[in-house]
Amino acid sequence: MSILASGGFWAFVGVVAGIYTILALGLQVQFGFAGLLNFGQVGFMAIGAYTMAILVVKEGWSTWLAAPLGIAAAAVGGLLLGLPSLRLRADYFAIVTIAFSEIIRYVATNDTALTGGSQGTIALGPIGTASQYNGQWSSFEARVQHALGFSSSDATMLVLVWGVAVVLLALCWLALRTPWGRVLRAIREDEDATASLGKNVFAYKLQALALGAALAGIAGLFYAWEFSFFSPDDFQPLLTFFAWMILLLGGLGRVWAVPVGAGVFGFIFAGTRFLDFAPFTWFASDQRAYLRLIIIGLIIIVLVLVRPQGLLGNKREMVLE
Amino acid sequence: MFLQLVANGLVEGSIYAIAAVGVSLVYGLLRLVNFAYGDMMAFGALIAYGVDGPLHQSMVVAALAGMAATAALALVLDVVLWRPLRLRRAGFMSLFLASIGLALVLRQALLLAAGSQPRSYDVNPYRVFVLGSVRLSEAQVIAIATAAATIVAVGLFLASTTAGRTLRAMADDRVLAAIAGIDVGRTTRLAWLISGLLAGLAGVLAGLVEYSFDPNFGFDLLLPVFAAVVLGGIGSAYGALAGGLVLGLVQELSTWSGFAGGVNPVYKPVVAFAALAVCLLIRPQGFFGQARVG
Amino acid sequence: MTELLRVEDVVRTFGGVRAVDGASFAVADHSVTGLIGPNGAGKSTLFATIAGSLKPDSGRIVFGSARIDRRPVHRIARAGLVRTYQAARVLTRMTVLDNVLLASAAHPGERLAGLVLRPGAARAHERRILERAHDLLALVRLESHAHAYAGTLSGGQRKLLDLARVLMLEPSLVLLDEPMAGVNPALREELLERILAIRRDRGVTFLIVEHDLDFVMQAADSVVVMNEGKVILVGTPGEVRVDERVVDAYLGKAH
């Protein structure tokens, strides 16, 4: 039980929830604003993280140049995915997006020369060197920690991730209230009617897809910095499904529902580690990992069945159809 | 070498084809893109393993048991999950997300019950049949023979039995079929029954051909199967058959050295999706699919 | 009288069925033109083809001086040709006011670059169209519903909202798809009045598909009659009313 009381552990859970908030916010922009069923969100996260790490380690770029380029690469990935596939029917589009994220993962696993392959970022640099992409970030984090007078780096990371998350949430909230956001909401409900009012539906969808992808890229950067190492296995489709669950938990179409969903998700995900009563005690700890995912799967199903607008969603504005 | 790749492609493709028909039938009726289908395949494969390995039954009995169990699972899931969603008039997005939740539950339940260690059926991996320049393992021969028989059987069933025609009629237009007096509930159960049987069979055959498999292997098969379904035009059973075979061949032949030096075999899944992307660019409704009349 | 729209030999097939089979006619500027014909005559298909949501297999559609039959829907709308739908497709999950505001053309605030680089211009445009939107809602007597969700409106009110929304685009040609269907009788007279007033005050041309022949005869200056995918007659309501071919088409004696 001691770990339950440890601030460090919960700070870690909070950091992860913040990263998921940014990831799921991207889905909210794509699906909640524009009605796009993107199931390949994790692919954009991978593009952001890998672009930054590769530029820093292999090209010797400054982190502060490589990071924005990582975000831009994710957005460009969104454009490249969207150009051929946005004209497809929703069901085809959903399948193509999953395929896209799996292609990214396959390439990251197998193109060892570019990404370090299945060994992950440790193998990015030349053999015999410890390749680190987060040197500049760590010293920045240390300076922030010193300035804030914090004693732990976990708490510092928590402040940084959530600081960025809150800014991004506010920007998205504002964007949805502009005339631009109004067009997106219209497309979400009836794209043919919106097109017949003179709106270039395709261009708006493309923008939403690219912006959501850029948000995933930002999530990828924080993911990379938080863990100091990552490999293609970190970008399984499962992560996209977690983000969808957060979206459903929070509420569709509502920006501020995303962090609530991420918080509940983080609590469920971390909290289920500590279920030390029957029937959970019947299982070994590795089996409990399976059990945790079963619970998450069941929550997705139950939400779809009984609360298709999400916990905080407004049924009159948006439900899962 | 070329002929060998064609043979391998046909083996792989016929497994995709069987699974793709199972996905496509249910999609045609319920507009459900069943993300849990790969895990249903893994379920069938593992049940068959339990009968084949520990129980020492013949592979045929094991395969039948795997198929029957998967079909039962499919029917139970229809009652507890899909029917309530239909009653709520859930659309494509709800169904798809629910199937993702179900996929998680199924796969983790399999891991919980069976563990993550790889398993193999009781077949001899070293027994090889030689046909001219083509060498096929025993498992491959079993797979392609069974698959061919199944494809013919499914094709005949859909084309010339009343039940099969009913299925296709309902896939074309659910409302019209109901008006025409088709028992929608019974036809839906029939679709799940067949879809489940095919999932079990495809799972067993894939397990045979891959020689060793674990509960995660269904998901790896799912995306090529989806690609085959889309290639064939979602909801078209014949299209799915053709899409599966084409995809299997494309995947294998892409590694042929005569084809621009050959693609590295690890990129076979990428080739499948590249084929899919090219196809969708040319024909957004799928290779064999028909554009819906507006 | 100048022509605003010209449809030339338009053919549109669906899997072998020629829904529109070489239709030709013209719509005069500032006119109210009715498009009638029995069920299955190809009116709806032709309508969708003019508005750009279907592309013709062959033939030309000229609007003003430009060919529009290969343009995407939104560019046709921006050029000033907009349609309404038989079951008005208002955005039910948005407010009535937002529905109208949405239709404003060339809004700098609808572009991300405009929002970031010219926030002042975006705000000014929004203020201007807010005023116009309220005027248009007053015109169709929906002012009191401005802040309600459009989903709460009745079928007839939705048609009025659709009309107001379309006018926000300042179109020169409006295609009305069965404006009278599902509208309660009390509202019919008013809708007719509105349409004629809009034509008079704003110089808008209307092309109307309508099953209610009384309404067409009352409203239209010119009537186009279709049967089996072809235009069989163009004339004034008086001419059309007495023409045998029209009677035959409706009674199914043509062949």
Side-chain angles (χ1 to χ4, degrees):
Chain A
M1 284 301 279
S2 64
I3 194 174
L4 254 187
S6 105
F9 175 74
W10 287 108
F12 171 75
V13 172
V15 169
V16 173
I19 294 171
Y20 274 120
T21 297
I22 300 171
L23 186 69
L25 182 62
L27 283 186
Q28 187 75 286
V29 169
Q30 293 163 344
F31 181 68
F33 292 10
L36 298 174
L37 276 175
N38 169 19
F39 282 92
Q41 186 71 333
V42 73
F44 301 120
M45 190 177 173
I47 293 177
Y50 267 111
T51 304
M52 184 272 291
I54 289 168
L55 287 177
V56 170
V57 174
K58 297 202 160 188
E59 308 296 326
W61 284 34
S62 152
T63 296
W64 311 116
L65 272 176
L69 220 84
I71 300 168
V76 170
L79 293 177
L80 291 180
L81 173 65
L83 279 173
S85 60
L86 273 174
R87 294 184 199 280
L88 302 175
R89 264 164 40 186
D91 39 12
Y92 289 82
F93 181 75
I95 293 173
V96 168
T97 54
I98 299 180
F100 164 79
S101 78
E102 284 291 272
I103 288 177
I104 300 285
R105 193 165 64 90
Y106 272 113
V107 172
T109 309
N110 293 304
D111 197 336
T112 311
L114 180 69
T115 63
S118 53
Q119 282 180 287
T121 51
I122 253 174
L124 261 182
I127 295 162
T129 60
S131 55
Q132 288 239 313
Y133 55 79
N134 61 344
Q136 267 177 306
W137 172 263
S138 299
S139 56
F140 168 73
E141 201 186 337
R143 276 203 307 280
V144 174
Q145 185 177 336
H146 182 74
L148 293 172
F150 284 178
S151 58
S152 89
S153 65
D154 287 328
T156 316
M157 193 66 180
L158 190 66
V159 169
L160 287 170
V161 170
W162 277 99
V164 170
V166 167
V167 169
L168 294 172
L169 285 163
L171 283 175
C172 288
W173 186 83
L174 284 172
L176 191 60
R177 266 144 200 81
T178 62
W180 178 80
R182 188 165 60 209
V183 179
L184 283 186
R185 280 185 291 144
I187 291 170
R188 176 179 85 191
E189 190 182 331
D190 185 342
E191 57 180 88
D192 292 339
T194 311
S196 71
L197 293 174
K199 310 303 173 198
N200 186 348
V201 170
F202 183 78
Y204 280 95
K205 284 182 169 180
L206 203 56
Q207 289 169 21
L209 188 63
L211 283 177
L215 287 167
I218 297 174
L221 295 178
F222 278 113
Y223 190 91
W225 288 327
E226 168 67 12
F227 293 98
S228 311
F229 161 80
F230 59 88
S231 75
D233 275 349
D234 290 318
F235 303 106
Q236 303 271 357
L238 195 59
L239 231 65
T240 304
F241 305 153
F242 288 167
W244 269 97
M245 178 183 162
I246 286 166
L247 203 63
L248 270 182
L249 263 176
L252 300 175
R254 305 231 134 171
V255 168
W256 295 105
V258 175
V260 175
V264 175
F265 172 79
F267 190 79
I268 293 171
F269 201 72
T272 43
R273 285 168 203 272
F274 309 111
L275 298 172
D276 52 357
F277 48 85
F280 301 102
T281 39
W282 303 342
F283 297 98
S285 65
D286 59 329
Q287 291 184 315
R288 285 196 209 176
Y290 303 143
L291 211 55
R292 188 159 59 226
L293 290 173
I294 289 179
I295 291 171
I296 284 173
L298 285 175
I299 290 175
I300 293 179
I301 293 173
V302 169
L303 278 170
V304 171
L305 263 175
V306 303
R307 206 167 163 83
Q309 73 271 39
L311 290 181
L312 301 178
N314 179 345
K315 207 161 192 168
R316 275 193 307 191
E317 282 183 353
M318 188 172 192
V319 292
L320 195 66
E321 279 166 353
Chain B
M1 191 59 204
F2 182 78
L3 284 177
Q4 180 68 47
L5 289 174
V6 169
N8 291 347
L10 285 176
V11 171
E12 194 92 335
S14 56
I15 295 172
Y16 293 157
I18 293 174
V21 173
V23 171
S24 209
L25 267 182
V26 165
Y27 178 87
L29 257 58
L30 308 178
R31 298 289 174 267
L32 162 66
V33 175
N34 189 1
F35 204 80
Y37 201 78
D39 303 295
M40 286 168 66
M41 288 162 67
F43 176 81
L46 281 166
I47 294 285
Y49 171 79
V51 176
D52 167 60
L55 293 182
H56 301 295
Q57 295 295 320
S58 78
M59 199 56 227
V60 175
V61 174
L64 290 175
M67 289 166 69
T70 314
L73 175 73
L75 289 170
V76 169
L77 286 173
D78 188 50
V79 174
V80 300
L81 179 60
W82 305 121
R83 217 168 72 91
L85 278 168
R86 281 201 296 281
L87 292 177
R88 184 169 91 51
R89 294 173 183 284
F92 160 72
M93 301 174 202
S94 296
L95 295 174
F96 191 57
L97 262 173
S99 80
I100 283 178
L102 175 64
L104 264 181
V105 172
L106 265 183
R107 191 178 343 153
Q108 305 304 323
L110 288 178
L111 284 163
L112 197 60
S116 59
Q117 69 275 26
R119 305 168 186 261
S120 300
Y121 292 122
D122 196 8
V123 288
N124 182 354
Y126 303 110
R127 192 153 156 220
V128 171
F129 294 81
V130 181
L131 261 161
S133 63
V134 176
R135 298 161 60 85
L136 290 172
S137 72
E138 185 177 13
Q140 281 183 308
V141 172
I142 294 173
I144 199 161
T146 316
T150 307
I151 289 171
V152 170
V154 169
L156 282 176
F157 168 78
L158 288 174
S160 53
T161 65
T162 314
R165 279 197 295 267
T166 310
L167 269 177
R168 283 191 298 141
M170 219 173 109
D172 273 351
D173 194 329
R174 198 182 167 84
V175 180
L176 211 65
I179 294 168
I182 290 175
D183 183 341
V184 172
R186 219 184 66 188
T187 312
T188 304
R189 284 193 293 280
L190 178 67
W192 274 118
L193 177 76
I194 296 172
S195 179
L197 288 173
L198 293 176
L201 180 62
V204 171
L205 294 181
L208 270 173
V209 169
E210 295 192 6
Y211 187 60
S212 112
F213 62 93
D214 63 47
N216 284 312
F217 96 127
F219 182 72
D220 296 328
L221 287 168
L222 183 69
L223 287 174
V225 168
F226 272 5
V229 172
V230 175
L231 215 55
I234 294 191
S236 151
Y238 297 134
L241 285 176
L245 288 171
V246 169
L247 194 77
L249 283 173
V250 167
Q251 271 195 355
E252 286 299 323
L253 290 181
S254 68
T255 63
W256 180 45
S257 54
F259 170 73
V263 176
N264 185 339
V266 295
Y267 283 117
K268 271 196 281 186
V270 177
V271 169
F273 292 125
L276 177 66
V278 170
C279 160
L280 286 175
L281 279 177
I282 302 166
R283 276 180 72 84
Q285 66 273 34
F287 222 167
F288 302 95
Q290 288 198 342
R292 298 243 160 216
V293 172
Chain C
M1 201 180 272
T2 54
E3 271 173 22
L4 184 59
L5 179 77
R6 167 161 283 285
V7 173
E8 290 173 18
D9 297 322
V10 167
V11 175
R12 169 70 206 205
T13 56
F14 291 110
V17 180
R18 293 170 86 87
V20 177
D21 190 7
S24 300
F25 67 92
V27 173
D29 204 5
H30 298 299
S31 70
V32 172
T33 302
L35 178 59
I36 64 169
N39 278 328
K43 304 180 303 275
S44 300
T45 304
L46 183 56
F47 227 55
T49 311
I50 296 171
S53 48
L54 294 176
K55 300 296 165 209
D57 299 340
S58 65
R60 291 153 48 95
I61 300 171
V62 181
F63 174 61
S65 54
R67 221 182 131 168
I68 56 166
D69 47 87
R70 297 285 149 200
R71 286 196 198 169
V73 174
H74 69 272
R75 288 194 45 219
I76 295 175
R78 282 183 203 168
L81 193 168
V82 287
R83 73 168 297 182
T84 64
Y85 292 87
Q86 185 182 340
R89 286 170 82 166
V90 301
L91 298 154
T92 58
R93 299 180 191 282
M94 291 168 69
T95 65
V96 168
L97 182 62
D98 269 349
N99 263 276
V100 181
L101 290 173
L102 175 72
S104 155
H107 194 324
E110 285 182 358
R111 291 196 307 273
L112 278 179
L115 277 177
V116 178
L117 302 176
R118 299 165 55 215
R123 268 197 302 276
H125 187 97
E126 186 77 359
R127 265 197 307 278
R128 269 199 308 281
I129 64 170
L130 198 61
E131 211 168 297
R132 273 194 51 222
H134 280 294
D135 287 349
L136 286 169
L137 283 176
L139 178 74
V140 295
R141 311 230 167 102
L142 283 174
E143 183 64 335
S144 57
H145 295 82
H147 296 287
Y149 282 99
T152 61
L153 299 182
S154 72
Q157 286 174 319
R158 287 182 195 203
K159 294 210 160 188
L160 288 168
L161 173 57
D162 202 3
L163 190 59
R165 193 170 69 170
V166 157
L167 291 175
M168 189 75 184
L169 274 162
E170 301 185 46
S172 44
L173 175 61
V174 175
L175 310 185
L176 295 179
D177 194 353
E178 303 210 18
M180 287 298 143
V183 175
N184 81 54
L187 218 59
R188 291 177 158 225
E189 206 55 30
E190 184 178 334
L191 198 59
L192 175 61
E193 243 173 70
R194 292 285 146 233
I195 290 169
L196 294 175
I198 291 161
R199 192 244 314 235
R200 191 180 59 235
D201 302 341
R202 295 164 193 262
V204 175
T205 306
F206 286 94
L207 176 62
I208 305 177
V209 166
E210 181 55 66
H211 273 294
D212 181 343
L213 293 187
D214 288 342
F215 172 80
V216 176
M217 297 305 170
Q218 261 180 294
D221 321 307
S222 167
V223 179
V224 178
V225 189
M226 279 186 82
N227 191 32
E228 294 180 339
K230 293 188 169 71
V231 172
I232 57 168
L233 180 69
V234 180
T236 64
E239 290 162 5
V240 166
R241 195 175 282 137
V242 297
D243 196 289
E244 274 178 31
R245 284 169 292 177
V246 179
V247 179
D248 285 349
Y250 271 90
L251 297 180
K253 285 188 197 159
H255 289 277

